[in-house]
Amino acid sequence: MSWLNVVRIIQKLKQRDMKKSQFLPLTLALLILATASCKKTTPELKEVFKNDFLIGTAMNSYQVHGRDPLAKPFIIKNFNSITAENEMKWERIHPAPGVYSFAKADSIAEFAQKNNLVLIGHVLVWHSQTPDWVFRDSVGNTLSRDALLARMKDHIFTVVGHFKGKVKGWDVVNEAIDDNGAMRKSLWYQIIGEDYIQKAFEYAHEADPDAELYYNDYNNEQKVKRDGVIPIIKSLQQNGARIDAVGIQGHWHLDEPDLNELDESLSAYAALGVKIVITEMEVNVLPTPPEVYGADIQQQAKYLEELNPYKNGCPDSVQTQLANRYSDLFTIFMKHKKDITRVTFWGIHDGYSWKNGWPIVGRTNYPLLFDRNYQPKPAFWSVIKTAKGE
Ligand code: XIL
């Protein structure tokens, strides 16, 4: 209820010549109601950043099929871009040779189209969530370079072709660089060689010349990995491939990445003439074994009680740390806003975060801006303040 309405009602009550004993409590109730509803107005994330960058979220099929009735309206209210969290990955969309399964990804695409959300395609070529058959022939032998290139081309043409005009941009290659900055020795690399990246970008561009194309990785805001990613971007550019942006996944922690390093990396990527997209952001608040400080989903760590300390709720002190961390990160994003075109969160609220199950299954994490009841956390308010320069 707005203040204007309250004033109007009070004026009408006065005109009615009401007894003082009735008039006063009624007025008081109206004032309380108006104050409460004013206080509850939560800004919409996408609106707050509308002059800066797109604000996206990962979405899953559970949400798109309405099993959680709150999810869709919440997404429409807060975000202007979505990425399918899993539904466009090879194992889901192309589970067996010659078998393409588009139904779930199509529902997400339809939801995006209906609600004017920018749809991002994730992901075409990756070492994870890609079935083993992709690399083998019908009797189980490893494919030749040419045969694997042909398979990659078929996949990219079919998938990108299917979503032509619906997907604004694709994560073409994901995680091609190892944590030490060298090429990851994935089966793509081993069988095809280093130019599998170039080929993937060429096929994607051929399949949809209007789609933006991204190289995506985790920890690539760290210098050691950045030094491996920059030559890939340069080589794509020199060889005439389309590359619009570098995706920094942003699977971060309370104490990582180093903020100066992030700042430097954003400048270094922008200097190449590409845009930057933060593609999968969240900030883990749980203690994590150092060997899984990245986001290679093939790594796992053992469950230990001491690594799951906030089962019954996130302490205020941790909420504050998280809020400060988000504020620091968004301060850097705002500094580089002319080069950043999108910031996508990897989940709509804490309950949906993959960080409850990875790298350790069965923990309770609190890495996003909204809690399990869709309520804004202190981190949300600190992000809003940062956007306003407060
Ligand atoms: C994750 C999803 O969030 C999980 O649901 C799934 O079980 C594993 O993959 N880097 C990526 C994302 O590029 O696709 C991953 O998403 C997280 C790490």
Side-chain angles (χ1 to χ4, degrees), residues 3 135 157 166 191 200 219 222 252 256 283 293 332 364 372:
W3 287 104
F135 305 99
F157 268 53
K166 294 182 180 162
I191 299 172
N219 282 359
Q222 295 179 11
W252 288 328
E256 272 204 2
V283 176
Y293 247 61
I332 297 181
T364 308
R372 286 165 168 76

Side-chain angles (χ1 to χ4, degrees), residues 85-86 89 122 126 129 174-175 249 251 280 295 346 354:
E85 184 169 0
N86 287 296
K89 291 174 179 173
H122 175 75
W126 189 21
Q129 293 184 279
N174 203 20
E175 304 175 358
Q249 291 183 3
H251 294 296
E280 308 177 12
W346 210 235
W354 75 303

Side-chain angles (χ1 to χ4, degrees), residues 31-315:
L31 290 175
I32 292 172
L33 215 91
T35 316
S37 56
C38 278
K39 239 172 66 192
K40 286 278 176 286
T41 320
T42 307
E44 296 166 2
L45 270 181
K46 63 171 187 206
E47 275 302 307
V48 173
F49 290 98
K50 69 169 187 274
N51 297 323
D52 308 317
F53 29 72
L54 292 171
I55 293 285
T57 181
M59 187 179 195
N60 60 34
S61 57
Y62 183 86
Q63 293 156 357
V64 84
H65 290 130
R67 284 189 211 117
D68 170 355
L70 299 179
K72 279 199 209 170
F74 182 80
I75 290 174
I76 296 164
K77 181 169 148 52
N78 282 290
F79 304 96
N80 44 25
S81 173
I82 54 172
T83 305
E85 184 169 0
N86 287 296
E87 307 306 347
M88 293 189 187
K89 291 174 179 173
W90 196 309
E91 67 179 12
R92 298 281 173 99
I93 215 161
H94 189 180
V99 178
Y100 283 92
S101 165
F102 286 116
K104 287 183 173 167
D106 279 346
S107 313
I108 293 180
E110 208 177 293
F111 174 73
Q113 225 170 5
K114 243 197 191 144
N115 297 290
N116 243 335
L117 303 166
V118 171
L119 179 63
I120 303 302
H122 175 75
V123 47
L124 297 172
V125 177
W126 189 21
H127 65 282
S128 292
Q129 293 184 279
T130 302
D132 193 47
W133 65 260
V134 173
F135 305 99
R136 299 183 186 285
D137 64 16
S138 54
V139 289
N141 293 325
T142 304
L143 288 186
S144 66
R145 168 185 156 92
D146 285 349
L148 186 56
L149 276 174
R151 191 161 271 175
M152 181 206 265
K153 185 172 180 179
D154 165 71
H155 178 81
I156 292 179
F157 268 53
T158 309
V159 175
V160 175
H162 182 87
F163 292 106
K164 193 167 186 284
K166 294 182 180 162
V167 162
K168 177 177 183 197
W170 282 96
D171 291 334
V172 179
V173 173
N174 203 20
E175 304 175 358
I177 297 296
D178 242 324
D179 288 335
N180 62 8
M183 289 291 295
R184 184 188 291 279
K185 307 298 177 293
S186 67
L187 287 170
W188 294 110
Y189 175 86
Q190 287 178 39
I191 299 172
I192 299 175
E194 201 162 325
D195 66 338
Y196 84 87
I197 300 175
Q198 172 78 23
K199 292 286 185 202
F201 275 81
E202 282 172 9
Y203 298 152
H205 184 54
E206 223 183 303
D208 183 358
D210 295 328
E212 292 186 351
L213 305 181
Y214 319 125
Y215 172 78
N216 196 42
D217 216 325
Y218 65 83
N219 282 359
N220 52 336
E221 70 286 346
Q222 295 179 11
K223 187 175 181 310
V224 57
K225 203 146 180 181
R226 181 180 91 209
D227 286 347
V229 170
I230 286 180
I232 290 182
I233 310 300
K234 282 189 172 162
S235 146
L236 286 166
Q237 291 173 324
Q238 279 155 12
N239 291 315
R242 175 170 183 168
I243 160 102
D244 294 272
V246 175
I248 295 177
Q249 291 183 3
H251 294 296
W252 288 328
H253 303 262
L254 289 174
D255 57 352
E256 272 204 2
D258 176 89
L259 295 169
N260 290 328
E261 211 173 15
L262 172 65
D263 190 16
E264 277 164 28
S265 292
L266 296 181
S267 301
Y269 288 132
L272 300 173
V274 290
K275 295 292 180 196
I276 295 150
V277 279
I278 309 296
T279 52
E280 308 177 12
M281 185 177 185
E282 90 267 304
V283 176
N284 163 53
V285 304
L286 299 181
T288 291
E291 69 274 16
V292 281
Y293 247 61
D296 184 353
I297 67 164
Q298 300 192 346
Q299 297 176 332
Q300 288 275 308
K302 210 174 108 216
Y303 182 92
L304 296 169
E305 275 304 318
E306 63 263 34
L307 298 179
N308 189 22
Y310 313 133
K311 272 180 290 202
N312 302 318
C314 189

